[in-house]
Amino acid sequence: MVLPRFFTILFTLAGLLIPCGVEASQSVNLTWQANPPGEDVAGYRVYFGTNSGNYTQTQEASVPSSTVSGLTEGVIYYFAVTAFNSQGVEGPYS
């Protein structure tokens, strides 16, 4: 079972050079503290969207970091991370 765990999420926007006439797209690199060794953690889910607590997109990571790409420049995004175990039981949002 995945124990409740708080994550420290650090992120930075990676600047991209884009040709004129192409919509700007950004990415964010997220890292967080892994659950302690010995816990049954199969991976992490990164949730994100433009409304806090209402995440419309998700991606999985096997390590405590992830890059989310395709973000629109100038838009505010909210992120949350959960851990899940080998049975798919998911812990709470970070």
Side-chain angles (χ1 to χ4, degrees):
M1 182 164 176
V2 177
L3 299 174
R5 181 97 178 132
F6 289 102
F7 297 93
T8 302
I9 299 177
L10 307 171
F11 60 93
T12 57
L13 284 178
L16 300 174
L17 295 176
I18 56 173
C20 292
V22 176
E23 184 174 283
S25 178
Q26 299 288 317
S27 63
V28 63
N29 298 314
L30 304 170
T31 58
W32 54 90
Q33 183 178 353
N35 283 48
E39 287 188 10
D40 177 18
V41 176
Y44 303 92
R45 287 195 182 101
V46 178
Y47 292 88
F48 58 102
T50 57
N51 292 307
S52 180
N54 183 20
Y55 309 109
T56 57
Q57 298 179 22
T58 184
Q59 66 184 45
E60 290 191 2
S62 59
V63 295
S65 66
S66 184
T67 299
V68 177
S69 301
L71 305 175
T72 303
E73 185 175 353
V75 174
I76 296 173
Y77 289 89
Y78 298 87
F79 298 88
V81 177
T82 64
F84 61 91
N85 67 15
S86 57
Q87 288 76 42
V89 176
E90 194 169 4
Y93 287 135
S94 58

